[in-house]
Amino acid sequence: MNLTFDERLVAVGTGIRTVGQLTGEALAWIKRADKVLYVLSDPVSERLIHDLNPTGAESLQHFYVENKVRREIYEQMIQLTLGYVRSGRVVCLAVYGHPGVFAFPTHESIRRARAEGYQARMLPGVSAEDCLFADFNIDPGSAGCQSYEATDFLVNRRITDPSSHLILWQMIVLGDSTYRWQVDSPPAMRQFIARLTQQYPPDHVVYVYEASIFPGVEARIEPVTIAQLGQVRYTTMSTLYVPPCVAPRADLQLYQSLGIPLG
Ligand SMILES: C[S@@+](CC[C@H](N)C(=O)[O-])C[C@H]1O[C@@H](n2cnc3c(N)ncnc32)[C@H](O)[C@@H]1O
């Protein structure tokens, strides 16, 4: 792919399984950039980035330190990215998944670069949610789908519909603003279970989900009741999928007046 653009900053996603989910345009930018700053979830992907751009690849992983405030980690990543942009380099910010899905440093780097007059853009990638739809064989069009960061869902009293699919991200840092690698029970789990049981029965089965990051390896799909959520191990890859527990409350009059068949 031949790239003749004026972009100075491009955020790309490598997919959840880099081998197989890296798009052609992301690959082209990784090769073309002067600097490829990356946050990836496995050594195979890192190796691939270095093979594609041996002189420009630089990991941002060292900013992640256990217990460090996440905002501080993100700010350091953004500062480094903008520093390279200002120095005249073409920068590719490569993160796993989709670069715009639960990824603050990519959005913020683009915002700030544009505010300083540089051309910057984001390319779509395959997110964990895309993998979830495939692995669970569910279509968000069938019942609607709500997707929240788990702490945001809890502390901002998000209004959810138990007749829709519900996806809760970043379970490992539920109620915690610092970086964690793995925990047995996030600090706000008690309040989280209480919140869910306002709308779902405690024995409703939900799933701790970790999409496979390597071809040929199965996803982690661990069924657990809502009441048991405090007894599960969570990692940086854990997403919670809550299936619907009730049928939607249909407006029968409207069905009839619009001539929509009940089904
Ligand atoms: C900072 S976000 C990054 C999301 C990523 N940009 C994407 O497009 O999927 C991290 C959260 O994504 C979810 N996640 C990351 N990897 C995952 C995987 N392999 N399977 C399921 N969820 C994953 C988890 O909820 C995790 O806490």
Side-chain angles (χ1 to χ4, degrees):
M1 196 179 285
N2 211 359
L3 299 173
T4 49
F5 298 107
D6 295 324
E7 270 79 5
R8 294 284 294 283
L9 173 62
V10 180
V12 304
T14 61
I16 295 296
R17 271 188 297 289
T18 303
V19 181
Q21 293 179 350
L22 184 67
T23 66
E25 57 182 357
L27 187 123
W29 274 108
I30 290 167
K31 285 165 98 170
R32 154 75 183 85
D34 301 317
K35 286 301 297 181
V36 184
L37 305 177
Y38 66 84
V39 181
L40 300 170
S41 56
D42 67 272
V44 176
S45 312
E46 288 197 26
R47 179 61 202 263
L48 180 67
I49 300 289
H50 279 270
D51 286 349
L52 290 171
N53 194 328
T55 53
E58 179 177 337
S59 173
L60 301 182
Q61 193 62 38
H62 60 92
F63 288 123
Y64 283 106
V65 175
E66 189 88 5
N67 296 331
K68 189 166 159 186
V69 175
R70 291 201 305 281
R71 278 279 166 171
E72 195 185 321
I73 297 172
Y74 299 154
E75 187 56 36
Q76 289 171 337
M77 291 178 173
I78 295 163
Q79 289 301 338
L80 186 73
T81 304
L82 289 176
Y84 281 126
V85 171
R86 290 180 196 122
S87 74
R89 273 113 149 174
V90 172
V91 179
C92 178
L93 194 49
V95 299
Y96 72 89
H98 184 303
V101 173
F102 294 84
F104 178 77
T106 43
H107 281 294
E108 188 58 20
S109 297
I110 287 179
R111 263 193 292 272
R112 291 192 203 176
R114 284 179 180 160
E116 292 183 24
Y118 300 109
Q119 285 209 31
R121 70 179 170 135
M122 180 179 284
L123 303 175
V126 176
S127 73
E129 188 171 271
D130 297 313
C131 296
L132 188 151
F133 293 143
D135 281 337
F136 285 82
N137 199 18
I138 57 167
D139 182 343
S142 66
C145 183
Q146 290 178 281
S147 195
Y148 294 103
E149 201 274 335
T151 303
D152 170 48
F153 163 80
L154 179 64
V155 299
N156 289 319
R157 298 200 186 105
R158 296 293 182 183
I159 296 165
T160 50
D161 174 358
S163 73
S164 291
H165 303 284
L166 176 63
I167 298 173
L168 297 166
W169 299 66
Q170 306 203 148
M171 288 298 294
I172 189 168
V173 287
L174 175 63
D176 186 347
S177 59
T178 64
Y179 174 71
R180 303 273 168 193
W181 174 245
Q182 187 166 302
V183 295
D184 286 331
S185 190
M189 186 49 80
R190 192 176 50 78
Q191 296 93 324
F192 183 71
I193 292 173
R195 167 73 172 79
L196 281 174
T197 49
Q198 286 167 5
Q199 286 186 295
Y200 299 86
D203 62 354
H204 186 54
V205 176
V206 300
Y207 299 87
V208 177
Y209 171 63
E210 292 178 5
S212 163
I213 58 173
F214 299 118
V217 176
E218 289 302 313
R220 175 185 174 203
I221 297 180
E222 189 172 341
V224 58
T225 65
I226 288 177
Q228 292 168 329
L229 276 171
Q231 297 159 32
V232 189
R233 179 183 51 91
Y234 298 95
T235 76
T236 52
M237 299 198 304
S238 303
T239 297
L240 192 70
Y241 167 54
V242 183
C245 72
V246 290
R249 290 192 312 124
D251 184 333
L252 296 178
Q253 259 184 351
L254 206 50
Y255 261 95
Q256 211 171 21
S257 67
L258 294 173
I260 299 173
L262 266 172

